[in-house]
C-alpha cells in the first residue's frame, strides 16, 4: 500500500484483521517520509509485516520512476530505523528453501541446516548456517513475484518502455472488479511471452503488459470478496495466506499488504 | 471531377431538401467521371490521379478508406499505386495523420447525415465558409477541418477549373472526401466490403487505427456523447467562428459545445438496478441502526437483560487496536449492533464477540452465547429421534434369519456428544456472514466431528451448507466443520490472567460423571489484578479457562466400554452377547485440567506456543499485555491487568511447520487364517472306500444287534441333509 495514503489503506484493509497499532502507524507515517527523502525514492510502499516469534519485521519498498524496475526493500523492527536489504538472488532462494518454520525476529539469527555433501572420500555431513536476513530477503522476493497485485489500468507502459502510474486510472467498474482477469501480477511478465498470437491479439499493449491473475496455478489460489456492501473488493491469496489486496471500485484506492508468518501454504490443494 | 462535384453541391445548397440524395449521385458520378470525360480542365491530373483511385474505388472497404489519404500525401505529380510500403511511409508524418483524422469526422458526419435533415446544416456551413473562403485560402489549405474541405470545394468553384496550379492537394482532398463519402455509403451494405479485403490485406497500422477510432467512438455512459463527435463539433465551431487565439480558449469551447448539446432523456424500458447488492446490504444494516427505537412496552426489562448479555465490544476493540489486531472501527461497530440485535431477539444470558473466520467466498462473524434457562430443547429431542431410528434399522436387520454368516464387524462405538452447557458444547455459537445479515445458530458439536476435523484441513467457503469432501469422511457439512474448529480454537486459545477465575465451590454436586475433576469456574470476586509487566514476562500468569479437548473428541472422559446409564437403556434391547464384560479396560484419557497455566502448553517443534508482547515500548506504563498464539495463528488475547479478552481472526487452521499430510489409510483387514475349518480333505480314493466298505460289512456282521438303532440314525441324517 502506498505510504502516502497509509491510513486510508489500513482502514480499507482492516476487514482481514491486519491492522497496526496507533504508535506503529504514527511512526510509519513519520519514518517512511524520511526514507523517501533519504533514499530518493519516487514512491514508497508499506509492504507489510512478517510476524516473528520474538519481534516482527516491518517491510517497506522503494520504487523508482519506472514502476517495474527492481525495487529496494527495507526492513525495520521498530518502524523508525530502516535498514536496506540486499537484492535477492537465485542462489539465496535456493539456499533458504531448506529452512522451515517461523521467523525469529532477529536478523542475525542463524538457522542451522545439516546436509550431506559429497566430498573426495565418501559423504560428509556439513552444517550450513543460514542467516535470517537472507531468508527474509528471499521470502519477500518470492511473495513479490508470486502474489503482488495491481489492478488493470493502474499502470501503463509508456512508448519508451518504462512503466508509469496511470494518472487517469479511475478504478475498475463493479463488474470488472469481480473478475480475476482485471488484476495483474505486479512484476515483470513471465507467462505473457508464452501466449499464443491469438491470445495476444486482444491485448492492449499499453495496459496488458503484465500477467493476469486468472491463470495462476493452482486454480483457486485467490479468494475474491466484496466487503462493506460492495464498496470494497478484497483479494486474499490462499497460496501465501496473509497477503491481502484491496481496491475500492471507481476509485484510485488500491494496494496490497502482507501480514503473516512468511511461509507458503503448500497444503493448498488439500484445502480447496 | 471536382468540377462535377462543386456544381452539384451548389445545387444541393440550393435544394437542401434533397441533400441526401445528391451525394450519392455525386459519388456515382465521380467514379464515372474519367470515362465520361466531363472534367475537361483537369484531365491532365486526372489521368494520373484518378486511375489508381478508380482501381480502388470498387472495394469501398474500410481498408481502402484508410489507404486513401496516402495518395493525398504522395503529391500531385506522382502516380500512386495503392501499395503497402507507402502506407508505412505515411505513418510517421504528422500532417498526414491530422489530415486523416480530420477527414474522418467529415465522413462520420456524413454517415449520420443519411437523413436529409442532418445533411442540411452541413451544406449550410459550406455556404458560410465559401463567403470567407477567399480571405483564408492559403492557411486553410495547410490547416485542417471539415470546413477546410468545404471551403476547398467552394473555392475551387470560385476560382474555376482552369486554376490548375492552385493546389493539387486541394483537389485530392476533395477527391478523398468523395471517396470517404462512398465509403460511408458502402458501410450500409456490407456486401461491398468483401472485395476490399481480398485486394488489400489489413496491416497492423490499419487495425490500430480502427481500434483507436472505435475507442474514440465509444459512447459515454453518462452523457451519451462520444469524443469523436465532440472533437469534430469543436473544430466545426472553431472554424465557424474563427476566434482569436483559439488554442487558449479551447477548454471553454469544449464546454460550450457540450452545453449546447441537447439530448432528450429517452425512457428505457428497463429499470437501472445494477447496484442492487450494495443497496440491499445497506438496507439490512439500516435495520441495525434503527433497532434501538423499536422497543416500546417492556423496554426496561429488556434493557436489564441486555445490559448483562451484551459485551462491550468497542472497549475490547480499542485494546485490540492497541495490540495491532482487529477489524476497522466501523465494522466493529456494526458487529456490536448486530450482537445487540442477537441479544434482543434470543433469551441470552451472556454473549461475546468470538472473532471472525475468513472464508474463500464470504467470511464468518462468530458470536459466543450462553442461553438463559429454558433454551433450545427441541433440537436435542430431534437428534434423539434420529438415533432411535438408526437403532430400529439395525434391529430390523437382526430379525432376518438366514443361514449365511452375518457380518460381524461392528463399527467402533460412537462416542456420544456432550450435553448442552457441558464440555465442548458449553457455549452456543451464532454466525453471520456480514453484520446485518441474519444470525445462524451452529449445531452442537459431536466428538466424531472433532476427531475428524483434526485430521483434515479445508478452507471455509462462507456458505454453511457446503459439503465437506475430505479423506476421512467428515460427518456433516461446513456448519459442523466450522463448529468443530471453533471448539478446537476455543479450547486452545481462550486464556485469562491467573486468578481471574476460580473453581466454583457450590457446583460440586453437578459433576457426577467427572471424578475428581472440576469443569466449572466462576469469576473471582477478590481478583486484585496482575501487573502488566508480569503478564508479559511470565507465561505462567495466564491460564486456560476452557476445557482441554481429549483425543477422544470430548472434554470429559467417556468410557466407551462401560457405558453410562442412558446408553445402556438404549442399547439393552440391541444385544446381550458381548456386553462390556470384557476385561480390557481402556485407561482414562486425561488432559491438562482447567485453569492450567499456558506455560505448560506443548511446544511445536522448538517453537514456543505463545508470544507475549507489550503493546507499546514507548509508553510502557499505559501499555497492555498482548498474547499471540503461534499454534493457532490469528488468536490473540490482551489484558491490561484487570480486564482481558480473547479474539480470533484468521482462516481457522492450526499451524504446523510441516506440510499437511493426509492420514494414513486404515490397516487392511487380514483374511481368515487358513486352518482346519477352511481346508478340505482330499476326496476318498477307491481303495479307501473299499476298505471302508469292508470294515463296515465287518462291523455289520459283528454287531447285528445294534443294527436297527444305527439305521435309524442314518435315516435321520439323510433326512436332515435333504
Amino acid at each position: 500500500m502506498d505510504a502516502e495514503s497509509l491510513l486510508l489503506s489500513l482502514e480499507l484493509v482492516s476487514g482481514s484483521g491486519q491492522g497496526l497499532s496507533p504508535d506503529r502507524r504514527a511512526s510509519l507515517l513519520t519514518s517512511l517520509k524520511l526514507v523517501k527523502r533519504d533514499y530518493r525514492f519516487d514512491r514508497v510502499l508499506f509492504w507489510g509485516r512478517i510476524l516473528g516469534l520474538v519481534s516482527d519485521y516491518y517491510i517497506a519498498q522503494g520504487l523508482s520512476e519506472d514502476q517495474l524496475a527492481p525495487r529496494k526493500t527495507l526492513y525495520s523492527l521498530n518502524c523508525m530505523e530502516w535498514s536496506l536489504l540486499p537484492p535477492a538472488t537465485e542462489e539465496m532462494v535456493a539456499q533458504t528453501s531448506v529452512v522451515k518454520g517461523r521467523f525469529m525476529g532477529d536478523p542475525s539469527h542463524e538457522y542451522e541446516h545439516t546436509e550431506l555433501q559429497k566430498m573426495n572420500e565418501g559423504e560428509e555431513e556439513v552444517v550450513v548456517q543460514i542467516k535470517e536476513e537472507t531468508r527474509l530477503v528471499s521470502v519477500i522476493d518470492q511473495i513479490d513475484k508470486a502474489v503482488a497485485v495491481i489492478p488493470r489500468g493502474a499502470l501503463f507502459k509508456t512508448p519508451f518502455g518504462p512503466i508509469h502510474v496511470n494518472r487517469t486510472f479511475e478504478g475498475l467498474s463493479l463488474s470488472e472488479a469481480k473478475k480475476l482477469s482485471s488484476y495483474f501480477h505486479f512484476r515483470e511478465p513471465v507467462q505473457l511471452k508464452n501466449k499464443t498470437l491469438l491470445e495476444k491479439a486482444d491485448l492492449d499493449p499499453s495496459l496488458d503488459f503484465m500477467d493476469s491473475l486468472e491463470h495462476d496455478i493452482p486454480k483457486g489460489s485467490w479468494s475474491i470478496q466484496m466487503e462493506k456492501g460492495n464498496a470494497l473488493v478484497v483479494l486474499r491469496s490462499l497460496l501465501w495466506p496473509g497477503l491481502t489486496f484491496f481496491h475500492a471500485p471507481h476509485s484510485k484506492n488500491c494496494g496490497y499488504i502482507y501480514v503473516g508468518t512468511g511461509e507458503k501454504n503448500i497444503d493448498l490443494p488439500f484445502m480447496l | 471531377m471536382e468540377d462535377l462535384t462543386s456544381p452539384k453541391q451548389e445545387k444541393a445548397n440550393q435544394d437542401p431538401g434533397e441533400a441526401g440524395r445528391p451525394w450519392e449521385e455525386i459519388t456515382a458520378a465521380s467514379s464515372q467521371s474519367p470515362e465520361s470525360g466531363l472534367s475537361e480542365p483537369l484531365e491532365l491530373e486526372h489521368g494520373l490521379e484518378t486511375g489508381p483511385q478508380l482501381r480502388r474505388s470498387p472495394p469501398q472497404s474500410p481498408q481502402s478508406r484508410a489507404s486513401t489519404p496516402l495518395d493525398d500525401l504522395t503529391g500531385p505529380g506522382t502516380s500512386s499505386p495503392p501499395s503497402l510500403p507507402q502506407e508505412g511511409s505515411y505513418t510517421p508524418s504528422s500532417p498526414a495523420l491530422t489530415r486523416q483524422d480530420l477527414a474522418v469526422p467529415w465522413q462520420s458526419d456524413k454517415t449520420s447525415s443519411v437523413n436529409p435533415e442532418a445533411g442540411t446544416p452541413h451544406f449550410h456551413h459550406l455556404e458560410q465558409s465559401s463567403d470567407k473562403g477567399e480571405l483564408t485560402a492559403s492557411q486553410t489549405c495547410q490547416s485542417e477541418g471539415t470546413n477546410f474541405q468545404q471551403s476547398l470545394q467552394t473555392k475551387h468553384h470560385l476560382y474555376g477549373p482552369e486554376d490548375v496550379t492552385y493546389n493539387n492537394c486541394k483537389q485530392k482532398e476533395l477527391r478523398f472526401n468523395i471517396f470517404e463519402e462512398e465509403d460511408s455509403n458502402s458501410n450500409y451494405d456490407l456486401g461491398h466490403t468483401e472485395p476490399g479485403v481480398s485486394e488489400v490485406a489489413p496491416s497492423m497500422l490499419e487495425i490500430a487505427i480502427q481500434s483507436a477510432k472505435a475507442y474514440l467512438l465509444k459512447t459515454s455512459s453518462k452523457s451519451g456523447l462520444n469524443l469523436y463527435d465532440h472533437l469534430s463539433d469543436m473544430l466545426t465551431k472553431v472554424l465557424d467562428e474563427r476566434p482569436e487565439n483559439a488554442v487558449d480558449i479551447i477548454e471553454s469551447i469544449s464546454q460550450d459545445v457540450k452545453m449546447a448539446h441537447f439530448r432528450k432523456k429517452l425512457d428505457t424500458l428497463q429499470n437501472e438496478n445494477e447496484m442492487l447488492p450494495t443497496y440491499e446490504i445497506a438496507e439490512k444494516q439500516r435495520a441495525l441502526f434503527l433497532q434501538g427505537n423499536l422497543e416500546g412496552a417492556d423496554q426496561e426489562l429488556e434493557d436489564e437483560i441486555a445490559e448483562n448479555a451484551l459485551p462491550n465490544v468497542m472497549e475490547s476493540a480499542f485494546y485490540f487496536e492497541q495490540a495491532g489486531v482487529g477489524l476497522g472501527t466501523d465494522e466493529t461497530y456494526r458487529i456490536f449492533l448486530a450482537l445487540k440485535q442477537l441479544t434482543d431477539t434470543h433469551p441470552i444470558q451472556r454473549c461475546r464477540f468470538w472473532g471472525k473466520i475468513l472464508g474463500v467466498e464470504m467470511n464468518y462473524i462468530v458470536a459466543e452465547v450462553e442461553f438463559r434457562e429454558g433454551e433450545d430443547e427441541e433440537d436435542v429431542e430431534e437428534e434423539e429421534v434420529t438415533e432411535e431410528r438408526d437403532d430400529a434399522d439395525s434391529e430390523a436387520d437382526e430379525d432376518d434369519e438366514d443361514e449365511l454368516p452375518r457380518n460381524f464387524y461392528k463399527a467402533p462405538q460412537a462416542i456420544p456428544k456432550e450435553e448442552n452447557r457441558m464440555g465442548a458444547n458449553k457455549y452456543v455459537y451464532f454466525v453471520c456472514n456480514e453484520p446485518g445479515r441474519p444470525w445462524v445458530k451452529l449445531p452442537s458439536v459431536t466428538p466424531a466431528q472433532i476427531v475428524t476435523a483434526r485430521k483434515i484441513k479445508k478452507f471455509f467457503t462462507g456458505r454453511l451448507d457446503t459439503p465437506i469432501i475430505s479423506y476421512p469422511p467428515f460427518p456433516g457439512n461446513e456448519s459442523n466443520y466450522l463448529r468443530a474448529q471453533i471448539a478446537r480454537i476455543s479450547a486452545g486459545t481462550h486464556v485469562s490472567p491467573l486468578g481471574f477465575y476460580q473453581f466454583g465451590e457450590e457446583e460440586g454436586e453437578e459433576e457426577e460423571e467427572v471424578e475428581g475433576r472440576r469443569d466449572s469456574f466462576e469469576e473471582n470476586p477478590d481478583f486484585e489484578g496482575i501487573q502488566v509487566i508480569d503478564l508479559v514476562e511470565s507465561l505462567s500468569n495466564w491460564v486456560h479457562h476452557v476445557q482441554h479437548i481429549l483425543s477422544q473428541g470430548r472434554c470429559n472422559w467417556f468410557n466407551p466400554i462401560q457405558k453410562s446409564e442412558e446408553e445402556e437403556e438404549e442399547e439393552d434391547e440391541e444385544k446381550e452377547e458381548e456386553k462390556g464384560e470384557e476385561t480390557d479396560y481402556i485407561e482414562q484419557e486425561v488432559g491438562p485440567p482447567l485453569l492450567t497455566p499456558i506455560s505448560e502448553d506443548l511446544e511445536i517443534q522448538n517453537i514456543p506456543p505463545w508470544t507475549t508482547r507489550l503493546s507499546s515500548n514507548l509508553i510502557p506504563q499505559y501499555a497492555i499485555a498482548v498474547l499471540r498464539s503461534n499454534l493457532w495463528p490469528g488468536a490473540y488475547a490482551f489484558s491490561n491487568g484487570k480486564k482481558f479478552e480473547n479474539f480470533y481472526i484468521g482462516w481457522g487452521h492450526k499451524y504446523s511447520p510441516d506440510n499437511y499430510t493426509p492420514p494414513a489409510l486404515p490397516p487392511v483387514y487380514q483374511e481368515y487364517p487358513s486352518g482346519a475349518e477352511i481346508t478340505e480333505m482330499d476326496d476318498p480314493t477307491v481303495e479307501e472306500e473299499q476298505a471302508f466298505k469292508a470294515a463296515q460289512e465287518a462291523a455289520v456282521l459283528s454287531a447285528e444287534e445294534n443294527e436297527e438303532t444305527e439305521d435309524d440314525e442314518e435315516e435321520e441324517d439323510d433326512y436332515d441333509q435333504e
Side-chain angles (χ1 to χ4, degrees), chain B residues 330-509:
Chain B
D330 62 333
E331 189 175 357
T332 314
Y333 199 76
R334 279 172 221 269
I335 291 169
F336 194 14
L337 289 174
L339 286 178
K340 181 170 187 302
Q341 190 189 38
L342 181 70
T343 50
D344 286 349
T345 49
H346 292 80
I348 285 166
Q349 191 182 12
R350 212 174 66 84
C351 174
R352 207 175 74 76
F353 177 37
W354 188 88
K356 181 173 178 180
I357 286 190
L358 302 177
V360 175
E361 291 164 33
M362 280 181 283
N363 305 324
Y364 291 115
I365 289 160
V366 185
E368 186 181 81
V369 152
E370 235 177 322
F371 279 112
R372 274 177 289 176
E373 302 302 325
E375 51 149 326
D376 43 0
E377 265 90 21
E378 67 281 0
D379 72 352
V380 179
E381 282 162 18
E382 272 174 31
E383 278 161 35
E384 276 174 7
V385 167
T386 54
E387 274 173 33
E388 276 165 23
R389 213 175 289 145
D390 290 345
D391 293 344
D393 288 345
S394 58
E395 278 165 38
D397 286 344
E398 261 177 51
D399 290 339
D400 301 344
E401 296 226 353
D402 55 355
E403 299 291 312
L404 295 168
R406 298 185 57 220
N407 186 359
F408 46 92
Y409 169 79
K410 278 185 35 203
Q413 206 219 316
I415 296 162
K417 71 174 186 187
E418 288 169 298
E419 297 289 303
N420 288 335
R421 298 169 175 276
M422 292 289 297
N425 286 326
K426 183 168 182 184
Y427 301 107
V428 178
Y429 292 91
F430 281 86
V431 296
C432 67
N433 291 123
E434 235 173 311
R437 293 195 192 276
W439 290 95
V440 180
K441 182 171 164 249
L442 291 181
S444 49
V445 69
T446 67
Q449 284 161 0
I450 289 185
V451 170
T452 319
R454 280 180 171 148
K455 293 182 192 154
I456 62 173
K457 197 174 178 189
K458 294 289 259 183
F459 274 121
F460 292 98
T461 63
R463 284 172 285 111
L464 283 174
D465 52 355
T466 316
I468 300 280
I469 298 160
S470 61
Y471 156 51
F474 187 78
N477 55 19
E478 187 164 298
S479 62
N480 301 98
Y481 182 49
L482 178 64
R483 179 67 184 81
Q485 290 300 91
I486 289 174
R488 293 177 64 202
I489 293 170
S490 306
T493 65
H494 279 191
V495 292
S496 55
L498 178 68
F500 191 86
Y501 288 115
Q502 62 183 4
F503 290 114
E505 312 295 341
E506 73 278 15
E507 291 179 35
E509 62 273 6

Side-chain angles (χ1 to χ4, degrees), chain A residues 164-201:
Chain A
H164 286 203
V165 177
N166 187 356
R167 286 194 297 166
T168 60
F169 177 62
E170 286 182 336
L172 300 169
S173 73
L174 257 185
S175 56
E176 280 174 335
K178 288 175 184 168
K179 288 185 217 147
L180 268 189
S181 53
S182 334
Y183 301 96
F184 288 144
H185 284 287
F186 196 4
R187 59 147 195 240
E188 290 288 340
V190 179
Q191 296 159 359
L192 204 63
K193 288 158 195 148
N194 304 333
K195 287 199 164 179
T196 60
L197 279 177
L198 199 63
E199 286 169 311
K200 276 186 192 166

